[in-house]
Amino acid sequence: MAEVFDDETEQTISIQEYLKEVEEQELEADLVLGGDEGKECTYSKGYMKRQAIFSCLTCTPDGNAGVCTACSLSCHDGHEIVELWTKRNFRCDCGNSKFGDFICKLFSNKDVENANNSYNHNFKGSYCICNRPYPDPDVEEQVEMIQCCMCEDWFHEEHLGLSSIDEIPRDEEGEPLYEDFICSACSAICSFLIQYPSSIWAVGRHSAGKDSLLSELPENNNTQTDSCVLETSSSASIIAENKPMFLSKNWRSALCRCEKCIHNYKLKNISFLVDEEDSIAEYEKIAKQKREEKLQEQEGAELKLFNNLGHVEKIEILNGIADMKDEIRTFMESFDSSKPITSADIHQVFENLAKKRRRTE
């Protein structure tokens, strides 16, 4: 709240928009953590299909290591930490050989190195092909980036390799229509997707989807054949290279799972494509369950605290709640519910409450 009040730009939002934004931010944070309360190092769980990972630039300035949520809080508190969202097939590095003499406080008996971990420039705090940090200190207005579902790097829309960002599939309100995005560097690996039906491709008004890729292919490659989809022609691979892909919801469910395709996925090291949809769904399901449990625990703790108070304390709290309701009601009556409010208006509400409490003391 302090950051909202200290904002001197006088930005305006409605109360409904503000409350919705707070709720969305809390839910987003919980979804990233996947229900992890940050109490135990995840090392014993091995290479997890999905978990939140952090990079400590204080301990590993080369950006060649990642730590779990618990270790970021217990072992690296006060350090320069880079939040990496979530990573697939990753095992906590905290305290291994990459950290020198530093020993993990939560799980000290770790292997020298996690050979199956994968690292990119995100671990150094750099993103996109421009290698800029996020947030970028040299930019006044931060621009959101989108993540490639293959390499898991993040990209600015203007750096996707499109002739115009209008090619990104969006609806009339400008909201994205795609479920997943594959960057131009990874698209060659997934050139076989061109052989799939158009239903897996996100389509917008000026979409850079399947049609824009197929228009450059020879005519006899524009339709899916009876052969395995991974047996694409070299021309398909060439056309797909350096072309970003935008895929529709549930596109993974359409992927071929025959023995031959599964083998080819393994050869390409992209087996995660066929099972990641379920793992992501399970990850988010656990996060939502944990969030609901946390909210219920908070409500229960507040009720227990209230019931343990004396009669006088209860009356004071109830009077305070009543005063706040009256002040908010008065404020709302003077404004249209859809009318934007400023941080100064919110200041005034709480200032009026403080004055009222001072008069009654």
Side-chain angles (χ1 to χ4, degrees):
M1 291 293 291
E3 293 180 358
V4 175
F5 290 158
D6 292 339
D7 187 2
E8 297 179 355
T9 61
E10 206 65 18
Q11 296 178 347
T12 60
I13 57 172
S14 68
I15 290 179
Q16 289 86 352
E17 289 173 336
Y18 175 75
L19 294 177
K20 182 180 179 181
E21 182 179 344
V22 171
E23 184 176 349
E24 289 176 348
Q25 289 175 348
E26 291 178 349
L27 176 58
E28 182 177 316
D30 285 339
L31 289 177
V32 171
L33 296 178
D36 187 354
E37 297 179 352
K39 296 180 180 179
E40 297 180 0
C41 176
T42 61
Y43 181 83
S44 61
K45 298 180 180 179
Y47 292 92
M48 297 179 64
K49 288 185 176 180
R50 178 68 56 182
Q51 68 169 313
I53 292 297
F54 304 80
S55 175
C56 179
L57 297 183
T58 301
C59 296
T60 56
D62 291 335
N64 62 346
V67 303
C68 67
T69 301
C71 287
S72 72
L73 297 173
S74 298
C75 304
H76 303 275
D77 182 33
H79 294 187
E80 184 181 357
I81 297 293
V82 176
E83 300 179 16
L84 299 174
W85 203 258
T86 63
K87 296 291 182 182
R88 70 168 69 92
N89 194 36
F90 201 94
R91 197 176 195 184
C92 181
D93 286 320
C94 182
N96 66 15
S97 61
K98 296 184 177 184
F99 288 79
D101 296 331
F102 184 89
I103 299 176
C104 177
K105 299 177 182 178
L106 302 179
F107 199 110
S108 58
N109 187 24
K110 295 181 177 178
D111 292 340
V112 175
E113 186 175 341
N114 295 315
N116 292 337
N117 278 358
S118 177
Y119 312 91
N120 60 14
H121 65 163
N122 295 168
F123 287 78
K124 298 180 181 180
S126 300
Y127 305 87
C128 190
I129 60 173
C130 61
N131 281 314
R132 295 299 302 167
Y134 186 87
D136 192 333
D138 296 331
V139 176
E140 292 185 5
E141 183 177 354
Q142 301 300 324
V143 179
E144 291 187 6
M145 294 184 284
I146 59 178
Q147 186 181 38
C148 173
C149 66
M150 298 291 293
C151 65
E152 297 188 307
D153 194 3
W154 295 82
F155 297 85
H156 298 103
E157 291 183 349
E158 63 267 28
H159 296 154
L160 298 183
L162 301 172
S163 58
S164 170
I165 61 173
D166 289 336
E167 293 184 48
I168 299 174
R170 293 189 176 96
D171 60 19
E172 295 295 333
E173 284 72 37
E175 295 298 319
L177 291 171
Y178 59 90
E179 178 74 8
D180 281 316
F181 154 75
I182 298 178
C183 72
S184 56
C186 294
S187 60
I189 303 174
C190 299
S191 60
F192 62 90
L193 291 176
I194 297 176
Q195 307 300 317
Y196 277 89
S198 297
S199 59
I200 75 166
W201 295 78
V203 178
R205 287 177 297 174
H206 309 287
S207 175
K210 180 178 181 180
D211 291 341
S212 64
L213 294 178
L214 292 185
S215 63
E216 302 179 49
L217 287 171
E219 185 176 352
N220 60 357
N221 284 326
N222 284 359
T223 58
Q224 185 174 348
T225 65
D226 293 333
S227 62
C228 175
V229 293
L230 285 179
E231 295 177 347
T232 57
S233 67
S234 58
S235 58
S237 178
I238 293 172
I239 294 300
E241 190 173 2
N242 297 324
K243 297 284 186 178
M245 298 178 175
F246 298 91
L247 299 155
S248 63
K249 188 175 183 180
N250 299 325
W251 67 277
R252 286 183 175 86
S253 61
L255 294 178
C256 181
R257 286 166 170 77
C258 73
E259 183 177 348
K260 192 170 187 177
C261 281
I262 293 296
H263 177 67
N264 276 286
Y265 296 149
K266 291 180 179 178
L267 290 179
K268 289 175 174 283
N269 197 29
I270 57 173
S271 296
F272 59 85
L273 287 183
V274 295
D275 62 8
E276 192 166 53
E277 188 171 28
D278 291 336
S279 64
I280 292 176
E282 181 64 20
Y283 189 83
E284 293 184 349
K285 179 181 178 181
I286 294 174
K288 291 177 181 178
Q289 289 177 343
K290 289 287 187 178
R291 173 176 170 80
E292 188 63 30
E293 292 173 3
K294 182 169 62 177
L295 292 175
Q296 291 177 356
E297 288 177 1
Q298 290 176 350
E299 292 175 358
E302 292 167 358
L303 181 60
K304 182 178 180 180
L305 175 62
F306 183 77
N307 289 335
N308 289 335
L309 293 174
H311 178 71
V312 175
E313 289 85 356
K314 287 181 179 179
I315 294 299
E316 289 181 349
I317 290 177
L318 292 174
N319 286 337
I321 293 174
D323 288 342
M324 179 172 288
K325 286 183 177 179
D326 289 340
E327 191 61 39
I328 292 177
R329 186 181 299 111
T330 300
F331 173 78
M332 292 299 294
E333 288 175 350
S334 63
F335 284 86
D336 183 355
S337 61
S338 62
K339 184 178 180 180
I341 60 174
T342 68
S343 57
D345 295 325
I346 301 176
H347 265 304
Q348 191 60 50
V349 171
F350 286 94
E351 181 62 28
N352 292 342
L353 277 172
K355 290 179 179 179
K356 183 179 293 186
R357 298 301 295 171
R358 287 195 294 268
R359 287 196 299 266
T360 58
E361 292 177 353

